[in-house]
Amino acid sequence: MPLAGVVPEHWRAAVVDDKGRVERIPYELCVLVALRDAVRCREIWVVGENRWRNPEDDLPSDFEDNRDVHCAALGQPQDVGEFIAALQGKLLRRTASSRR
């Protein structure tokens, strides 16, 4: 079992006994903490984990002040109605072409 990068030094005594065997429950706790930290900093990806994420958290802090610059860089319209209409048209075309 890998200990480096999973079990912090201050937990080693609780995870590895005096005979060098790994205690399951403390090791699993360390794995879960390491997994949580990796997901939080996007070091690893879990399918569907962004489903409940707030998309506002991913915007640059100056997004509202420089909306025109950011939208131009992404090649997207600033008007929400235009964006939705273009997306609906794209989805309708994709649906129509998949039915053929």
Side-chain angles (χ1 to χ4, degrees), residues 24-95:
R24 192 189 92 206
I25 293 175
Y27 181 77
E28 288 177 355
L29 289 173
C30 290
V31 168
L32 290 173
V33 168
L35 180 62
R36 180 199 62 192
D37 293 343
V39 167
R40 282 184 176 170
C41 70
R42 298 181 189 170
E43 187 176 315
I44 63 170
W45 176 259
V46 177
V47 175
E49 66 96 14
N50 275 344
R51 182 173 171 180
W52 307 111
R53 191 175 157 76
N54 182 359
E56 300 279 327
D57 294 343
D58 292 330
L59 292 176
S61 58
D62 66 342
F63 185 81
E64 284 303 320
D65 297 334
N66 298 309
R67 180 183 279 270
D68 55 338
V69 174
H70 293 298
C71 288
L74 294 170
Q76 298 295 334
Q78 289 188 46
D79 180 51
V80 177
E82 268 183 67
F83 176 79
I84 292 172
L87 187 59
Q88 286 174 335
K90 185 177 181 180
L91 291 172
L92 287 172
R93 285 190 299 278
R94 186 178 297 168
T95 303

